[in-house]
Amino acid sequence: MPDLRIQQPDSDATLRDWQHVHNVVIPTHALSLDDVRERSRRNHLQVAYRGDDLVGCSTVRPPTDETLTATVIARVLAPHRRRGFGEELYVHGLDHARELGAEVIETVILSSNQDGLRFALKHGFVETEQYLLPGETIPWIDLRLS
């Protein structure tokens, strides 16, 4: 099998792939294709493939001038977890955030995503806040790289 190929979505098909991973991993906060297009204008989105298989996606929310804080989110579909793909996506996103001038790195995880939470804690993130979005029942967890 070829190595992981990480690319920025450049068509509706690849935006739909990003959307699919997001909506499978975050089923409580499903996004429409229009939502994904809007996010792609303000964030750096990427999709990951191994050969023709969709593996995961990532988001880097760029740092703001005030805080120099970027948010790096890596998502991997369940059948592809525990193979190093999340690590590769995370490092790729982290490098991009630092290239954009980030001095502080954060992430956000749906609390029901125990694999994602374990991954973040293993990589040195510490919880800073838990909260519920309006109308949702599963808390989100904000974490910061220590």
Side-chain angles (χ1 to χ4, degrees), residues 108-128:
V108 59
I109 299 171
L110 191 63
S111 64
S112 61
N113 181 357
Q114 291 299 302
D115 286 339
L117 187 56
R118 273 191 297 278
F119 181 91
L121 295 173
K122 176 183 160 197
H123 285 81
F125 284 85
V126 294
E127 182 178 328
T128 58

Side-chain angles (χ1 to χ4, degrees), residues 66-92:
E66 300 84 45
T67 65
L68 297 179
T69 300
T71 301
V72 176
I73 304 166
R75 297 180 188 94
V76 175
L77 294 170
H80 301 285
R81 292 182 183 160
R82 294 181 187 86
R83 296 183 191 179
F85 300 137
E87 179 80 23
E88 207 168 327
L89 268 170
Y90 165 68
V91 168
H92 198 268

